[in-house]
Structure formats: C-alpha cells, structure tokens
Amino acid sequence: MKLPKWVIPVVILVLLALWGISKYNGLVDLDQNVKSQWSQVENQYQRRSDLIPNLVNVVKGYATHERETLEGVITARSKATSTTINASDMDEATLKRFQQSQDALSSALSRLLVVAEKYPDLKANEQFLDLSKQLEGTENRIATARRDFNNAAQEYNTQRNKFPTVIIAGITSFRERPYFTAQAGSEVAPTVDFSTGK
C-alpha cells in the first residue's frame, strides 16, 4: 500500500512542531528558575532593608553627633528600596542601576558600623549586637542569593544561545539575562599597614 504524498510533509511538520514546543518549554522552565532566583535576591535585600531602621535608631541613641552618617544610611536605604526591577523585563542597564543603589546602601552601612566603633557603650548594647549579627547573616544570604541568580542566569543564557534553540528564543522573544558583577574596586586587595595602625 502506497502512502499519499501529503503524509510525509505532515509528519515532518508535526515532528518540527513537537521539537519547537520542547525547546520552548525548556526555555520557559529555565526562565522561571531565573525569576525564582531573582525573587530570592529581592527577599534578602528586603530583609536587610527591614533591619536598617532599627539599627539606625539604636545607633542614634548613642551617637547623636553622627547625624550626617545616619542620614546617609536613611537616604541610601530610600534609594535602594525605590529601585526595583521586573524580572520579566530585566536587562543589563536596569540590573546595574539596581546593583549601584544596593552597593551605595552597603557603603553607607559600612560607614555606620565604623561610627559604632567609636562608642564602646553602643558596641556592648545587646540590641545593637543582635542587629549587627542579623545584618551580617543577611549580607551572607545576599551573596548566596546573588550567586544562585547568576548560576540560574548562566544556565538559561547557555541554553538560550545554543543553536538551534537560539532560533526559537528569537522567535518567542526570550532575551538574555544579565549577571550581577563584583563591586567596583573589589578586584584590588585592601592594603593593611600595621606600622600606622590601619
């Protein structure tokens, strides 16, 4: 029995459609993983942001002449919390703006903790110690969440850019995902000079 001429082209089209659906679904899975990892990044930054008002208030009670530092932390927190990203529309420029605002907050927090060193009573305050430990733990969780996000973005980008998946990605508007980068200057090790006490 001879098959009609239209059967072979239909079978080829069905196989191509199934292949395309499989590639598309793979990209959807990886894209959802990137979005999930991004939400973990946001959760950890939010946790840090929630700790800051309490930390500032404790320091304020001891370090009343450090108004500029305290206001710097509050301003940096405000800018950091107002810089948000929609995970679906994330690109390198928006991630860079987000990272810069978070880095500015990290820098302001570092200055606040340096100020705390000047006040022995503050350093001994139980609430300050507890908040400092929570902040340190949160900073570690932020680093982990950023690493996990970068790993998910790398896996997604690798699959997205492989041929022939890149064709499906282009047709269906799956864009590359950006990565977190190291903070400016982090490639240079700090200099420690014990002779000057620094």
Side-chain angles (χ1 to χ4, degrees):
M1 182 172 146
K2 191 172 179 181
L3 293 174
K5 292 181 181 181
W6 59 267
V7 171
I8 292 175
V10 168
V11 168
I12 290 172
L13 286 175
V14 167
L15 290 175
L16 283 173
L18 291 173
W19 170 83
I21 290 168
S22 171
K23 292 297 181 185
Y24 177 84
N25 288 340
L27 285 172
V28 168
D29 289 343
L30 292 170
D31 184 55
Q32 289 303 310
N33 187 38
V34 170
K35 289 176 182 175
S36 172
Q37 294 304 324
W38 176 250
S39 70
Q40 290 306 313
V41 169
E42 288 181 316
N43 287 341
Q44 297 311 320
Y45 277 122
Q46 183 62 51
R47 178 182 164 82
R48 177 175 74 170
S49 183
D50 292 344
L51 289 171
I52 291 171
N54 293 331
L55 186 63
V56 167
N57 285 334
V58 171
V59 173
K60 194 186 296 185
Y62 287 86
T64 53
H65 347 333
E66 306 292 348
R67 182 180 186 99
E68 186 178 321
T69 302
L70 295 169
E71 287 175 355
V73 171
I74 293 166
T75 301
R77 178 184 181 267
S78 175
K79 286 180 183 173
T81 56
S82 67
T83 305
T84 58
I85 297 178
N86 178 343
S88 297
D89 298 329
M90 184 185 306
D91 61 14
E92 197 169 321
T94 56
L95 183 61
K96 187 174 183 176
R97 278 194 305 277
F98 178 86
Q99 185 174 346
Q100 287 171 338
S101 68
Q102 294 298 334
D103 289 348
L105 179 54
S106 294
S107 180
L109 281 170
S110 295
R111 287 190 297 276
L112 180 68
L113 295 175
V114 167
V115 162
E117 292 294 317
K118 298 179 191 176
Y119 300 92
D121 290 344
L122 172 59
K123 289 190 333 186
N125 178 289
E126 196 173 307
Q127 189 178 11
F128 177 78
L129 291 172
D130 179 54
L131 288 167
S132 296
K133 285 178 187 173
Q134 288 184 54
L135 188 60
E136 182 181 341
T138 299
E139 292 295 337
N140 290 335
R141 284 190 283 278
I142 287 170
T144 299
R146 285 172 52 146
R147 183 199 65 218
D148 292 347
F149 171 81
N150 278 352
N151 289 341
Q154 179 185 19
E155 183 181 5
Y156 166 84
N157 288 339
T158 300
Q159 284 302 315
R160 182 215 173 272
N161 292 327
K162 284 183 178 178
F163 183 81
T165 309
V166 70
I167 296 168
I168 301 295
I171 292 169
T172 56
S173 302
F174 280 96
R175 297 182 313 204
E176 275 199 58
R177 295 301 189 157
Y179 300 101
F180 276 103
T181 56
Q183 194 171 6
S186 65
E187 69 281 357
V188 179
T191 304
V192 178
D193 185 353
F194 290 107
S195 64
T196 62
K198 292 181 182 176

